[in-house]
């Protein structure tokens, strides 16, 4: 067990050496900041996450929220952690100073939030949902709604949820049935049932603001008839304080295998009492609005998966340095002392795979956060648009890849621990359980794959893919020496095959319709994910090689070890991981129809 | 949620059409049996597993054993299940009639036990450990020990454990420290501590018989100084009944993430009271004896992993047929009814992968059980020896492959369920948690890989590998038509590359020592595992094709669907799985040194 949540040195390297985050300081929005304020806020996040989140991570997993008399009881430490997070200004961290925010870049806020999720994913869920819901009101709400709900949310007095899923409509939002009937007083009456609503009830904040998808009576069928409503747990009185109870009630808690500290709720709207809802923006535009929140949440899920993976890696690394067991295979003397298990090559394999997955996933997600920054604040409008296009394309990858490989990393962390790994006396099995939600919630990875290959890749004549290729090209050209040259060559070849197969699939989509092509969408998602993460590793290797080259003589042993580790992890990714997409490429190229042609009654 | 533990039709196909289990009836040992008795005992196991094991699977997971006042309290249903299993004669199922056994083949007993583990792995742990410990006493114990302990164990009055691991010595048995001091009365005094001892305490049986590894004072260091002792919880009185409490006591329970119904214990020996132990066989031969039990247990772990995977597959298949969600991607009409999710190709991919993994793993394990039968009862002594050699070689594969791919199957089962999958309201997350122990206990898969590539593959001039190749060859030659011909070709090519790389690795072992070769042992384990399971699938495909060919005209729709499903799952394995070993082959062929050269301080 280690205190380290995310290796600070790695984070500094990724933010500054690889992503040049300090260049954001040139932008007007961040004029009041400097490298010191960035570092100070990260330092605060790291410390607070350890002190107020990590302190009850295990207890909140063991002693999960309970449903008693229509209310939720939960550990008081969860509220203490939430309040500390809010009071430190993190909920409003990225918002305008005029809203009480710190006007921090997304990149820095993402890094900060990484510590909190690594420390305690269950408790982190509440502020994260709140900030995402708040952003929806900020962008699409009217002034009155912003006044009423946004500020208390940013201050942490109210929390937020996203209430999309219904018992019969999880992935298929087109089928939601919750209804909204207009009234003469301006509000709507909401009626229906929602399920799997994270944070839908809790004992943390004075009020809960549900962002609810519902249909106004008479709206068109399908996604074109969905509207977005604000549905508070308590209606506000004239002074803006929580007053009368609104007709949204907790039908029950769902018991998850991970993120157990975050309540997952079944909610009923308008069952026993009238449930007021306030329309956000225009009717029938709800799904479009909600997609802003969902895309943000998807990037957040990827980030969470990356850092939960990272946390498990830190634990297993500390364990492998400490735990002695066995000897080198060539040492036949049973009286020689046992060695730390990190001395066994197979243990190093499992640690190196974790390092390659998690530091790669972290790099991918930080890059995603940087794209948000560029989309929002790049001085050049073309660059802003380009960043948005690239972020759109990569969102399914950022959601899915870390969730799959972060969980795989946690699986390896358990394996490094051996028998201790599967016991609840040690911390890594919880990481693994927590992370297992991430390939599912906010859109299963199957949905992400369909989104990528069925839609994102073709938008604006595949401009996103073109932009990605251009970005990759820059780093391929910078990889001019030694091992990196080899790695660049294999990435380049893989990329070329991927582009070719993309064109073929595009043709097939036109000629044969979507079913036969999308049947193997999962392979395409893996392919693009591995290519992107290989590129992220090439960037890290380029930065590491540059540092090693520039500071050759005066390097400390610890510096040298850090950069050599980066190079070796990059080598692991290029030797052990990237080549595995040959299989995905082959299945895509020959349009393998095994799954497509499998008949339901053949199972 | 489904009642089906293992598809009976599949089991019948695998036992009789593929493995020709009925031919065992020609052997003297099974003269009292016939196909009907085999089927009746399987039917009993299936029914009893559902009635007395599945009934409390979830409760025993939720309400795990507790340590109170030095004793363990647990759900009474666990004892009821254990007793029912024992009373039906299953503990003694494979033993001689003279011992009260049913003299059933290992193949049939393995199949029977499959139902119990699929129904409730936690409860199944107790009788399985008992039968394995009993077998150790049967083979290596003296008459007195057999009289005293074997019969009550076979009757289910006493249970058994294997007490190997110590806090500082898990994988490294050479380092165990528990000591045994001889006394004039013939028994030894045992002193030490053991940990992770499954079933080390419980409230099921009148006595617990620990099979304990310890060192007689003055014994040589390392594995050559380990002896095996029987250490009962209660010493026996003159009438053979449990009498005085022996000095072995429960120091604490360990809390696992799965198999929560099976206690995992820390035991102390001789701490507060003298602990009597009875030497089994010769001193310093303990590890050799224990390896019989461990090898048996390893095959059992593989079997358990296969059927827990299978159980999750059955659940997710039933769910996918029942749950409606979304529409075909080409159907843009939001008012058309939602379709069962099995209609989505990506869901079929996840089901087909599970089918390929779990029916393949089941086939592999049943083949292992058949090798035990042939080793024990084949009329031809050469065939008996050959079966033993092949079983030795394949034991690490049978342990590791199902544990890795069964767990992967459970991961896919969760994914098929979507959000429901990660909740404890649905059954698959428990399967996944239960299965996660299997890649670790009874020797981590890393240990299995070292055992395979460091030892097993070279034994008797690689006779085991030669035998395996010969077996595979037979089925390659039978695959003469259509798809099977293609599959045989790709298996044959992969096998040839594997043989070549094995030779190269053998040379390298001689020239460079074990470290550089064994660093990538995990790749070799995966390679041999995939080759073996591909062969198992080719056997199934050959049998299915034969049936389809022989019964073309009179096939019912359900028959045809079953065999077509077998063919398609085989195709999945050959198209989607077998080619992935190209990566393992490449890493082995070029002797990739990434993990070997990674330095501990570079992490």
């Amino acid at each position: 067990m280690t205190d380290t949540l995310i290796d600070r040195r790695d984070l500094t390297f990724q933010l500054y050496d690889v992503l040049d985050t300090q260049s954001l300081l040139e932008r007007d929005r961040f004029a009041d900041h400097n490298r010191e304020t960035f570092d100070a806020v990260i330092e605060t996040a790291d410390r607070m996450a350890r002190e107020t989140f990590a302190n009850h991570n295990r207890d909140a997993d063991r002693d999960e929220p309970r449903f008693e008399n229509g209310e939720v009881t939960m550990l008081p430490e969860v509220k203490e952690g939430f309040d500390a997070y809010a009071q430190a200004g993190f909920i409003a961290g990225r918002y305008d100073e005029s809203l009480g925010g710190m006007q921090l870049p997304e990149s820095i806020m993402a890094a900060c939030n990484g510590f909190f999720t690594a420390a305690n994913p269950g408790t982190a869920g509440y502020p994260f949902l709140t900030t995402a819901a708040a952003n929806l009101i900020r962008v699409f709400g009217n002034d009155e709604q912003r006044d009423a709900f946004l500020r208390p949310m940013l201050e942490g007095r109210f929390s937020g949820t996203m209430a999309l899923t219904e018992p019969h409509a999880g992935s298929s939002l087109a089928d939601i049935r919750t209804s909204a009937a207009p009234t003469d007083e301006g509000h709507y009456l909401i009626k229906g049932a929602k399920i799997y609503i994270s944070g839908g009830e809790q004992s943390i904040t004075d009020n809960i603001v549900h962002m609810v998808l519902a249909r106004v009576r008479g709206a068109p069928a399908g996604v074109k008839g969905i509207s977005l409503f604000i549905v508070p747990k308590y209606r506000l009185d004239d002074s803006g304080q929580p007053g009368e109870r609104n007709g949204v009630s907790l039908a029950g808690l769902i018991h998850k295998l991970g993120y157990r500290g975050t309540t997952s709720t079944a909610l009923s709207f308008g069952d026993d009492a009238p449930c007021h809802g306030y329309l956000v923006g225009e009717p029938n535009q709800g799904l479009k609005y909600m997609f802003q929140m969902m895309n943000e949440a998807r990037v957040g899920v990827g980030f969470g998966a990356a850092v939960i993976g990272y946390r498990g890696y830190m634990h297993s690394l500390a364990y492998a340095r400490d735990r002695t067991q066995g000897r080198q295979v060539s040492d036949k003397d049973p009286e020689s002392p046992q060695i730390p298990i990190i001395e066994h090559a197979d243990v190093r394999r499992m640690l190196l795979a974790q390092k390659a997955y998690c530091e790669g996933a972290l790099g991918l997600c930080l890059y995603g956060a940087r794209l948000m920054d560029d989309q929002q604040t790049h001085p050049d409008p073309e660059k802003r648009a380009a960043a948005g296009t690239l972020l759109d394309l990569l969102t399914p990858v950022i959601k899915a890849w870390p969730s799959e490989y972060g969980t795989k990393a946690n699986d390896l962390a358990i394996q490094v621990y051996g028998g201790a790994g599967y016991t609840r006396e040690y911390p890594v099995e919880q990481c693994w359980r927590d992370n297992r939600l991430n390939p599912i919630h906010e859109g299963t990875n199957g949905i992400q794959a369909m989104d990528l290959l069925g839609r994102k890749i073709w938008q604006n004549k595949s401009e996103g893919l073109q932009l990605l290729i251009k970005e990759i090209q820059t780093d391929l050209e910078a990889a001019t020496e030694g091992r990196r040259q080899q790695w660049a060559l294999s990435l380049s070849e893989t990329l070329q095959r991927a582009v070719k197969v993309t064109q073929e699939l595009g043709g097939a989509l036109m000629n044969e319709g979507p079913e036969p092509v999308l049947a193997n969408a999962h392979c395409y998602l893996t392919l693009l994910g591995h290519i992107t993460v290989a590129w992220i590793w090439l960037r890290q290797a380029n930065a590491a090689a540059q540092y090693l080259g520039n500071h050759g003589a005066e390097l400390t042993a610890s510096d040298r070890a850090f950069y050599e580790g980066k190079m070796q992890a990059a080598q692991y990714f290029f030797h052990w991981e990237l080549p595995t997409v040959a299989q995905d490429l082959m299945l895509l190229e020959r349009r393998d129809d095994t799954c497509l042609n499998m008949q339901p009654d053949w199972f």
Side-chain angles (χ1 to χ4, degrees), chain A residues 206 229 384:
Chain A
D206 299 341
F229 296 87
R384 284 204 295 276

Side-chain angles (χ1 to χ4, degrees), chain A residues 503-525:
Chain A
Q503 289 162 345
E504 291 164 11
L505 293 172
L509 269 172
M510 307 273 274
N511 299 328
E512 303 167 34
E515 269 87 5
V517 174
L518 295 184
N520 295 341
H522 181 80
C523 295
Y524 193 85
L525 180 63

Side-chain angles (χ1 to χ4, degrees), chain A residues 69 78 96 123 166 198 326 420 461:
Chain A
N69 307 320
V78 179
D96 292 0
T123 294
E166 299 181 6
S198 295
K461 296 181 181 163

Side-chain angles (χ1 to χ4, degrees), chain A residues 452-468:
Chain A
L452 178 65
L453 186 57
R455 201 165 44 155
K456 292 287 175 65
I457 203 87
W458 317 113
Q459 280 176 346
N460 299 324
K461 296 181 181 163
S462 298
E463 193 196 345
L465 185 59
Q466 297 309 321
L467 287 166
L468 179 64

Side-chain angles (χ1 to χ4, degrees), chain A residues 72-87:
Chain A
V72 168
T73 58
M74 48 205 286
L75 294 184
E77 289 88 345
V78 179
K79 180 178 170 53
E80 288 163 21
F82 181 93
D83 288 346
Y85 181 94
Q87 279 154 27

Side-chain angles (χ1 to χ4, degrees), chain A residues 487-551:
Chain A
W487 303 340
L489 189 65
S490 69
L491 176 55
S492 170
E493 284 171 2
T494 308
L495 184 60
Q496 281 170 38
R497 273 181 76 185
V499 169
K500 187 156 170 292
V501 84
T502 304
Q503 289 162 345
E504 291 164 11
L505 293 172
L509 269 172
M510 307 273 274
N511 299 328
E512 303 167 34
E515 269 87 5
V517 174
L518 295 184
N520 295 341
H522 181 80
C523 295
Y524 193 85
L525 180 63
T526 303
L527 173 64
L528 200 68
H530 263 54
I531 285 175
T532 307
V533 177
W535 165 57
I536 294 288
W537 268 113
L538 189 63
R539 285 165 69 104
Q540 295 194 37
N542 282 341
Q546 194 181 2
Y547 197 93
L548 285 167
N550 289 348
H551 302 78

Side-chain angles (χ1 to χ4, degrees), chain A residues 333-356:
Chain A
D333 175 9
E335 306 210 50
S336 63
Q338 297 200 75
I339 57 175
I341 60 173
I342 200 171
E343 301 286 343
H344 298 299
D346 192 57
V347 172
R348 286 203 299 280
R349 169 184 68 82
M350 296 188 282
L351 293 170
L352 199 44
Q354 289 181 69
K355 184 176 169 74

